[in-house]
Amino acid sequence: MADYLPPGFRFYPTEEELVSFYLFHKLQGGTQDLIRALDQTIPLLNIYLFNPWDLPQFAGEVCKRDEEQWFFFIPRQESEARGGRPKRVTANGYWKATGSPTYVYSSNTHRSIGVKRSMVFYNGRAPKGTKTQWKMNEYKLIGYPKLSLCRIYKKSKSLRAFDRRPQPPPLEAPIPPKKCLETQHNAGDQFADDQKLPNLPLTVERASSPESFSSGDGHGEAATTNYNMQLKMEVDNYELVWDWSRLNWL
């Protein structure tokens, strides 16, 4: 079955799907086709008879070639059925629960439908075991303690395959404001040199305000002189390179 999956397709269910579909239908039963599909996807296995690094070979058909996570149904132990605690001891180590149990919620009703417990595998014997990178999430359906479902995986410092994305191209280093301004000035100077038209003097449109220019009295010439001085100050501040001797005032 897994040999016919095209590239890019993989079995990666959500926690809600693990509890509400796979674990629920495994407990409730169904048609023969459904039970066969469940067994091919998530096999029933007492994982505590094996070390975690031996479990991938027993994974379901859709997870045979998966290198990051594997799923199993775990039958309830006799000691757990009698009200005791399950024995999570293997030949080379043991599984130790970490943190407090959390709930798995339904996205439709927003109610808790399952309980999740996280565990870490230790080499050796408690309490002097050595912590490993192997982890497990165990899920149980609320009200149905006879069977649980687990996700086995290895802790990784890098992103997992389903989180990896092509890296964007490196961004160019930002130009400092002062250097950027100098670059703009240099470009403006070069543009002015390339676009010089010595035979075409610049013209400035006469201001329409009567306070700027007036005719018929002695204030018109003074107003024009003040306006020219103001233009020259603005030009000096912005470091433009126009030839002001060619301005043709109207």
Side-chain angles (χ1 to χ4, degrees):
M1 180 177 179
D3 296 336
Y4 298 99
L5 291 177
F9 283 82
R10 61 178 302 178
F11 181 67
Y12 191 69
T14 64
E15 293 184 337
E16 179 186 1
E17 292 169 341
L18 287 175
V19 175
S20 64
F21 182 82
Y22 292 96
L23 186 54
F24 175 80
H25 286 290
K26 183 67 174 178
L27 287 165
Q28 294 294 324
T31 63
Q32 294 183 354
D33 292 339
L34 176 60
I35 298 301
R36 187 183 305 109
L38 290 175
D39 293 338
Q40 291 179 348
T41 305
I42 304 179
L44 179 66
L45 182 70
N46 185 359
I47 64 171
Y48 303 115
L49 298 178
F50 308 91
N51 295 311
W53 48 85
D54 296 326
L55 293 176
Q57 61 180 318
F58 302 108
E61 293 297 327
V62 296
C63 296
K64 280 291 187 182
R65 296 182 297 179
D66 200 321
E67 298 179 355
E68 295 181 342
Q69 57 181 354
W70 306 270
F71 301 87
F72 302 94
F73 289 117
I74 309 174
R76 184 170 60 171
Q77 300 177 6
E78 294 182 3
S79 59
E80 189 178 5
R82 294 193 298 266
R85 299 178 61 182
K87 297 179 181 180
R88 301 189 177 99
V89 179
T90 69
N92 289 39
Y94 58 96
W95 291 95
K96 180 180 179 181
T98 60
S100 301
T102 58
Y103 290 102
V104 179
Y105 294 90
S106 169
S107 58
N108 295 327
T109 63
H110 304 288
R111 296 181 178 180
S112 57
I113 57 176
V115 179
K116 170 187 173 182
R117 179 179 290 274
S118 299
M119 305 182 197
V120 179
F121 186 78
Y122 285 76
N123 272 321
R125 290 291 175 258
K128 297 182 180 181
T130 303
K131 187 177 181 180
T132 69
Q133 299 297 316
W134 288 92
K135 288 194 170 187
M136 173 175 58
N137 294 333
E138 184 184 54
Y139 304 93
K140 289 188 177 182
L141 189 66
I142 294 180
Y144 295 87
K146 296 182 179 180
L147 189 70
S148 59
L149 190 156
C150 71
R151 180 204 309 260
I152 306 292
Y153 63 97
K154 287 188 67 175
K155 181 180 178 181
S156 175
K157 296 181 179 180
S158 61
L159 293 176
R160 300 187 183 278
F162 44 84
D163 289 328
R164 299 183 188 118
R165 297 291 184 273
Q167 296 296 324
L171 298 177
E172 297 182 357
I175 303 176
K178 183 177 180 181
K179 186 175 181 181
C180 181
L181 187 60
E182 293 176 354
T183 303
Q184 293 177 357
H185 286 168
N186 295 337
D189 294 345
Q190 182 65 34
F191 178 81
D193 293 339
D194 295 340
Q195 300 296 326
K196 281 182 179 178
L197 300 174
N199 297 326
L200 298 176
L202 288 173
T203 60
V204 179
E205 185 179 357
R206 182 195 296 263
S208 59
S209 173
E211 298 178 1
S212 301
F213 295 95
S214 61
S215 59
D217 55 20
H219 296 287
E221 184 178 354
T224 303
T225 303
N226 294 335
Y227 187 76
N228 292 342
M229 293 179 63
Q230 182 179 1
L231 280 177
K232 187 175 187 310
M233 292 176 62
E234 294 178 355
V235 169
D236 292 340
N237 290 336
Y238 286 95
E239 300 180 4
L240 296 179
V241 291
W242 304 109
D243 187 357
W244 294 100
S245 62
R246 295 174 181 162
L247 287 177
N248 182 18
W249 302 99
L250 296 179

